[in-house]
Amino acid sequence: MNDAIKLNRLKEILAGHGPVLVACSGGVDSTLLAFVARQVWGEKIRCVFIDSPVVPRAAVDQAEAIARELGLALDIIAVPLMDDTKFCNNPANRCYLCKKIMAESLKEQARTLGFARIADGCNISDLGEHRPGLKAATEEGILHPFIEAEISKQDIRDIARMLDLPVWQKPSAACLASRIPYGDPITPAKLRRIEEAEAYLAGLGIGQVRVRLHGTIARIEVHKADWKKILEQQPAVVSKLRLLGFAYVTLDLEGYRSGSMDEVL
């Protein structure tokens, strides 16, 4: 099935659901969903970005910029995630707890704006991974149009490229809490340290980067093609991360992989 057929199927599904409130992160998945929903329903759709301490400040700025560029109506709602003790304890179902909290804020916003349904950018590629947040969102009645249309992550990138969306090559993102091992408490200080370390490495021209925090150890994950960039600037990288509070700086020899913290489950 080619991209045009998949896109038409997505449009049919969105038309059947009626105008939706789109949970939008500024990534390729939710941006494509919002863009196509607007093609179907015009100004009747609206986007919501859920902000919290686990979201990098750069992600907020990028989401606003993308919304402006594409003419999408975007609301940013701050959620006091760190007030939830269960979440901060960082259990294995952390993503489930987080998505439940986020869903409440989304539903409140939907009621305020008069939307009957909320949709997110989950896709069929997510079904093969550890995604407790997807289970929570489904329980809360949030729609997954990409899953209904049997559209994968690669399909999303291909369709976004076909539509000439500026985010089609944007690296995958995940909340900063995903850099902290399960059972290790989540604190604002840890989140900021991780955020600053990743921002620094991104500034070296590395697109996909994770800095996993193991006590005082920084475990850097980048694609193997980017190892040379790290090693060429090894003294500066070590110096910067030590200034941020890391005692040891390591490069993961398996390279970047999504959800590496789930490997222990």
Side-chain angles (χ1 to χ4, degrees), residues 88-108:
C88 291
N89 287 337
N90 199 14
N93 69 337
R94 175 196 67 228
C95 291
Y96 179 89
L97 299 173
C98 178
K99 189 65 73 173
K100 284 285 189 178
I101 295 168
M102 292 171 60
E104 282 304 312
S105 294
L106 286 169
K107 290 196 291 186
E108 182 178 347

Side-chain angles (χ1 to χ4, degrees), residues 32 35 69-70 157-168:
L32 175 63
F35 185 81
E69 182 174 352
L70 298 179
R157 291 198 182 277
D158 292 341
I159 294 170
R161 184 179 186 181
M162 180 180 71
L163 295 176
D164 199 28
L165 295 185
V167 295
W168 76 271

Side-chain angles (χ1 to χ4, degrees), residues 1-154:
M1 188 183 303
N2 64 37
D3 296 334
I5 293 174
K6 291 176 182 178
L7 175 58
N8 286 333
R9 178 190 287 181
L10 177 62
K11 288 180 177 179
E12 290 172 359
I13 288 169
L14 288 167
H17 285 309
V20 293
L21 183 67
V22 180
C24 197
S25 66
V28 60
D29 303 339
S30 58
T31 298
L32 175 63
L33 181 63
F35 185 81
V36 175
R38 194 190 61 180
Q39 287 185 326
V40 174
W41 288 104
E43 300 302 317
K44 292 182 179 179
I45 73 108
R46 197 168 186 91
C47 306
V48 175
F49 183 104
I50 299 295
D51 190 15
S52 76
V54 302
V55 177
R57 296 304 87 198
V60 182
D61 296 337
Q62 290 167 8
E64 289 181 311
I66 291 166
R68 283 194 302 270
E69 182 174 352
L70 298 179
L72 299 170
L74 177 69
D75 297 320
I76 297 179
I77 299 176
V79 175
L81 194 58
M82 301 303 291
D83 290 348
D84 189 279
T85 303
K86 290 182 180 179
F87 171 81
C88 291
N89 287 337
N90 199 14
N93 69 337
R94 175 196 67 228
C95 291
Y96 179 89
L97 299 173
C98 178
K99 189 65 73 173
K100 284 285 189 178
I101 295 168
M102 292 171 60
E104 282 304 312
S105 294
L106 286 169
K107 290 196 291 186
E108 182 178 347
Q109 183 72 352
R111 287 190 293 268
T112 299
L113 297 175
F115 285 92
R117 309 303 298 269
I118 302 166
D120 68 15
C122 291
N123 58 79
I124 61 172
S125 299
D126 296 323
L127 299 178
E129 301 179 0
H130 178 67
R131 298 282 184 174
L134 174 57
K135 179 176 183 291
T138 303
E139 290 174 356
E140 294 297 325
I142 294 175
L143 302 172
H144 315 302
F146 288 134
I147 293 178
E148 292 181 64
E150 299 182 348
I151 289 175
S152 69
K153 182 71 172 186
Q154 188 57 53

